[in-house]
């Protein structure tokens, strides 16, 4: 709530101005700058079938992104069998490839559509491999997580052309590295009404500055033989001196307000820094309250290890039912463990 030059943010207009500074800071120091939306995104159908076990109709498509560059990314869309014609709230998930249908039945049963996209079609998770997206936009300094986040936004560009998707109720989620990208996408693109990173840790919902023994630190994650390529090279300059960064990950969380956010984590997943997730949620609350959205800053912890489990999905879908469909679940205090 202070501008880069030290002035205090007091009015709503000043908060909007400060938000622009946050957007620039997270791109400059952490992820690199994303290109703007392309002129056009369209789809070529690949396959359609029913999956009776999941009670879903599955469509697979290839998105073609930008009329000149024609980047390609595969997506799969699941719609509950027998759903009424009206548009449905839709969950969009970051995945390295398609076909992770284990959660489809659960999502269908709750009356959501589900879209999975193959983010590695845009940028493989390998610094030595050719990256179609980065090659197509050589003037942008975006790192791999930024490419994947941009991919989630391009899915929305395409969904805007369909009439079975409720565009006012889009949820973006992902696990681990996919959770980091989901949080970035949700912070930068306000078409996502609920942002739900799971187990996203360092470079996601976890703090860079607040870390206990056993967490993945900025120094560890940005090592050249680890995941340096996920981030802008500038981030590594702060290894071991995170306190000098002019930001931490609560900036991303604050950018989600007044939309809804739920960051799910496992208590046994020390590497992903559950304590640092709690601290950034607490720090971001001021932004949610300023926007009159104090109950939309959710956090959920379950027992266990690093994974994306039914308990995480239930927490996310319950939070979605509450904030996107007005169905308040019992026991909402489980969402505010940062308090
Ligand atoms: C780990 C990495 C984490 C997390 C995880 C994953 O190796 O250290 O930051 O991203 O991979 O994506 O599964």
């Amino acid at each position: 709530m202070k501008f880069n030059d030290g002035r205090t943010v007091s009015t709503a207009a000043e908060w909007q101005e400060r938000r622009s500074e946050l957007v620039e800071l997270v791109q400059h120091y952490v992820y690199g700058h994303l290109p703007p939306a392309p002129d056009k995104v369209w789809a070529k159908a690949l396959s359609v079938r029913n999956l009776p076990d999941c009670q879903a109709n599955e469509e697979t498509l290839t998105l073609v992104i930008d009329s000149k560059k024609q980047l390609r990314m595969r997506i799969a869309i699941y719609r509950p069998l027998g759903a009424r014609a009206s548009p449905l709230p839709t969950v969009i998930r970051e995945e390295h490839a398609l076909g992770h249908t284990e959660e489809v039945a659960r999502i269908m049963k709750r009356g959501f559509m589900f879209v999975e996209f193959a983010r590695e079609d845009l940028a493989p998770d390998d610094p030595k491999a050719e990256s179609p997206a980065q090659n197509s936009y050589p003037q942008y300094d975006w790192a791999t997580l930024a490419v994947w986040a941009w991919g989630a936004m391009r899915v929305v560009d395409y969904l805007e052309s369909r009439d079975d998707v409720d565009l006012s109720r889009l949820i973006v989620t992902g696990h681990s590295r996919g959770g980091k990208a989901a949080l970035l996408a949700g912070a930068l693109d306000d078409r996502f009404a609920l942002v739900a990173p799971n187990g996203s840790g360092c470079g996601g919902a976890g703090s860079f500055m607040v870390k206990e023994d056993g967490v993945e630190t900025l120094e560890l994650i940005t090592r050249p033989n680890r995941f340096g390529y996920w981030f802008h090279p500038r981030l590594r300059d702060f290894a071991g001196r995170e306190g000098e960064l002019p930001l931490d990950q609560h900036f991303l969380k604050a950018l989600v307000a007044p939309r809804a956010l739920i960051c799910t984590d496992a208590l046994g997943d020390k590497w992903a820094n559950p304590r640092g997730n709690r601290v950034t949620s607490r720090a971001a609350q001021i932004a949610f309250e300023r926007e009159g959205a104090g109950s939309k800053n959710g956090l959920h912890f379950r027992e266990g290890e690093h994974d994306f489990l039914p308990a995480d999905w239930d927490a996310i879908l319950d939070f979605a039912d509450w904030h996107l469909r007005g169905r308040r679940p019992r026991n909402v205090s489980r969402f505010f463990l940062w308090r």
Side-chain angles (χ1 to χ4, degrees):
M1 293 297 164
K2 284 216 164 107
F3 286 102
N4 293 341
D5 66 8
R7 277 177 305 130
T8 302
V9 172
S10 356
T11 65
E14 284 170 351
W15 169 234
Q16 289 313 314
E17 243 180 89
R18 176 61 180 151
R19 283 176 53 95
S20 310
E21 289 191 348
L22 302 186
V23 166
E24 172 52 24
L25 286 165
V26 301
Q27 294 184 91
H28 180 83
Y29 285 101
V30 186
Y31 307 101
H33 295 82
L34 284 66
D39 63 335
K40 200 172 153 194
V41 175
W42 69 101
K44 296 191 169 165
L46 291 174
S47 67
V48 186
R49 61 175 176 162
N50 282 345
L51 301 179
D53 291 353
C54 306
Q55 283 298 298
N57 173 267
E58 179 198 71
E59 264 177 84
T60 62
L61 309 148
T62 299
L63 297 189
V64 190
I65 301 169
D66 194 288
S67 54
K68 289 212 186 69
K69 300 179 195 295
Q70 306 221 354
L71 278 162
R72 277 156 206 267
M73 180 172 76
R74 286 162 304 143
I75 68 171
I77 302 184
Y78 299 89
R79 188 170 166 86
L81 282 180
R84 287 205 208 101
S86 54
L88 292 180
T90 299
V91 180
I92 298 165
R93 178 176 181 179
E94 291 266 348
E95 255 305 352
H96 62 281
L98 298 185
H100 300 81
T101 50
E102 61 274 11
E103 60 264 22
V104 171
R106 175 172 303 269
I107 299 169
M108 298 300 106
K109 219 186 212 156
R110 303 280 300 249
F112 293 82
M113 275 175 63
F114 180 51
V115 181
E116 184 176 64
F117 69 96
R119 61 184 186 228
E120 290 198 34
D121 290 357
L122 293 181
D125 197 355
D126 174 357
K128 292 188 211 84
E130 286 287 309
S131 162
Q134 284 152 316
N135 289 346
S136 294
Y137 291 89
Q139 65 280 44
Y140 286 84
D141 62 354
W142 50 342
T144 302
L145 287 172
V147 174
W148 295 342
W150 189 83
M153 301 173 189
R154 307 303 54 99
V155 172
V156 180
D157 296 344
Y158 162 65
L159 295 181
E160 284 175 343
S161 69
R162 292 178 66 111
D163 54 16
D164 55 354
V165 173
D166 184 341
L167 295 168
S168 66
R169 294 174 193 173
L170 298 179
I171 300 154
V172 63
T173 189
H175 173 55
S176 208
R177 62 200 73 186
K180 301 178 208 295
L183 178 59
L184 178 60
L188 298 183
D189 190 335
D190 62 13
R191 293 176 297 174
F192 297 108
L194 172 63
V195 182
N198 180 69
S200 61
C202 187
S207 165
F208 287 126
M209 296 183 196
V210 178
K211 45 192 188 195
E212 292 174 309
D213 285 351
V215 313
E216 180 174 42
T217 60
L218 189 162
E219 195 284 315
L220 287 168
I221 201 169
T222 58
R223 284 186 185 176
N225 62 352
R226 294 281 296 165
F227 301 116
Y229 61 98
W230 287 353
F231 301 96
H232 195 281
R234 200 172 276 128
L235 185 65
R236 186 151 176 83
D237 297 346
F238 293 86
R241 47 187 199 95
E242 294 83 350
E244 292 171 42
L245 269 172
L247 58 87
D248 204 345
Q249 294 300 84
H250 59 302
F251 280 27
L252 291 176
K253 293 187 178 185
L255 282 167
V256 176
R259 294 168 292 131
L261 170 71
I262 180 161
C263 300
T264 47
D265 249 334
L267 290 167
D269 188 4
K270 293 285 177 242
W271 185 246
N273 198 4
R275 175 157 175 253
N277 187 3
R278 182 178 281 147
V279 169
T280 53
S281 287
R282 191 181 302 143
Q285 180 64 4
I286 188 170
F288 285 85
E289 278 170 11
R290 167 174 278 286
E291 305 256 13
S295 69
K296 293 193 175 169
N297 179 20
L299 184 70
H300 183 269
F301 293 119
R302 62 164 168 79
E303 299 294 328
E305 303 299 325
H306 190 63
D307 209 336
F308 202 171
L309 296 181
D312 304 306
W313 280 103
D314 285 343
I316 293 167
L317 297 176
D318 286 352
F319 207 68
D321 270 347
W322 182 15
H323 287 302
L324 306 188
R325 302 209 263 211
R327 300 181 196 159
R328 190 177 201 270
R330 265 178 283 137
N331 179 17
V332 296
S333 59
R334 71 194 148 115
F335 298 124
F336 302 107
L337 295 180
W338 53 266
R339 280 186 174 147

